[in-house]
Amino acid sequence: MTNAQFSAISSFREEFREYCKKLTADFGEILRPLQKSAAKNDTPEYPIENPVVYNSALDTLDENSQIRLILIGDNPGKNEQLSKNQKYLVGQSGKIASNFFAKNYQFCIDFQKNVIILNKTPIHTAKTQHLRKLALDSRIAQIIEESQLWFAQKTAQLHSAFDEAELWLVGYGELKKRGIFAPYRDALKSAERAEDWARVRVFQHFSMNCFLNDLRRFMKENENLSILEAAKELGIFHRDEIFGKFGT
């Protein structure tokens, strides 16, 4: 990466780390029982070690790293929040994503080396839908929204710095009008520059093979397209479906 890009990622990860520390200090004791309660009816009991999760994989990036993709998931799940991990997309969804790029060399992406993985909020829940239960507490509802606005702004800045990288948002269901991530959607669209918007793609999530099944369906309907072309067109289709046309 260039000196300017390394400066941008270095500044971001320091801000990100401090932001997570502050959220944990201010709200960690409030979050833990709410996170445990939100999961009790549909998730086996597990230890909540980090209610707010910084992605420590960012610390492995250096001047020699080549970033080709910025990938945005939803929020940190059970595996991501464990102290031994504290990384994003390390569960089954991460394995599916990694295998996809390994098998489809045309993308020229090593999932471990060429991808910056972020989320729409660093606040942990076992399942993304549990954020709605956390948001029943007005204090937590506010920080869930504020963290999305923070992440969207910082993501747009990084995307601008890495001006050859695509920005993929996976898991678009909650980006819709009444979704929990609607604040992120609106803030990202406002923060992105017009010249960077052409490199934004939206897809279904890697979990449960939703991304793969959607891409396969699209390729079956458009047999003349290569997998690279299909991913581009599908990502743009879903982007416009969720965000509308840029500037509107």
Side-chain angles (χ1 to χ4, degrees), residues 10-27 52-55 58-59 122 150 154:
S10 297
S11 296
F12 167 73
R13 62 189 174 192
E14 288 306 313
E15 288 183 60
F16 182 18
R17 184 183 291 107
E18 292 304 311
Y19 183 65
C20 289
K21 286 181 180 178
K22 179 170 174 43
L23 285 182
T24 300
D26 292 348
F27 299 101
V52 181
V53 186
Y54 168 76
N55 184 9
L58 295 172
D59 297 337
W150 187 92
K154 299 300 179 182

Side-chain angles (χ1 to χ4, degrees), residues 59-234:
D59 297 337
T60 66
L61 299 176
D62 59 28
E63 295 93 332
N64 297 315
S65 300
Q66 293 184 310
I67 302 303
R68 299 191 176 100
L69 176 65
I70 301 174
L71 181 67
I72 313 299
D74 286 337
N75 70 310
K78 291 192 300 181
N79 291 314
E80 286 81 0
Q81 61 86 34
L82 293 174
S83 294
K84 68 178 182 180
N85 292 327
Q86 292 193 75
K87 295 177 182 178
Y88 291 177
L89 274 182
V90 296
Q92 188 61 32
S93 296
K95 292 178 183 177
I96 292 172
S98 182
N99 288 338
F100 170 78
F101 288 111
K103 290 177 180 178
N104 296 285
Y105 60 89
Q106 303 95 320
F107 287 88
C108 298
I109 289 176
D110 183 319
F111 197 66
Q112 309 305 321
K113 298 178 180 179
N114 306 132
V115 183
I116 293 175
I117 303 174
L118 303 176
N119 278 166
K120 302 176 185 82
T121 174
I123 296 172
H124 157 71
T125 51
K127 298 180 180 180
T128 297
Q129 66 215 45
H130 294 167
L131 286 170
R132 295 185 180 278
K133 296 182 180 179
L134 267 61
L136 294 175
D137 183 302
S138 60
R139 297 165 297 178
I140 303 306
Q142 183 175 352
I143 67 162
I144 289 173
E145 179 170 347
E146 288 177 354
S147 66
Q148 291 181 54
L149 303 183
W150 187 92
F151 241 146
Q153 181 67 42
K154 299 300 179 182
T155 296
Q157 291 172 3
L158 271 184
H159 191 211
S160 178
F162 290 90
D163 54 4
E164 295 183 356
E166 291 187 353
L167 175 64
W168 285 22
L169 291 91
V170 296
Y172 67 72
E174 290 292 346
L175 284 168
K176 294 179 179 178
K177 185 175 181 180
R178 299 186 184 279
I180 192 72
F181 296 131
Y184 181 96
R185 177 201 64 202
D186 295 341
L188 182 70
K189 188 175 181 182
S190 295
E192 280 276 330
R193 303 185 308 171
E195 56 266 40
D196 298 326
W197 192 248
R199 294 181 287 115
V200 174
R201 310 279 186 266
V202 177
F203 298 98
Q204 292 198 33
H205 206 281
F206 287 106
S207 64
M208 307 296 290
N209 279 325
C210 293
F211 168 87
L212 288 172
N213 291 336
D214 194 33
L215 182 58
R216 286 168 181 160
R217 175 197 57 77
F218 190 79
M219 292 186 71
K220 187 174 181 180
E221 295 173 355
N222 299 273
E223 295 179 352
N224 60 313
L225 298 179
S226 69
I227 191 168
L228 280 172
E229 294 167 334
K232 178 180 179 179
E233 291 199 15
L234 179 61

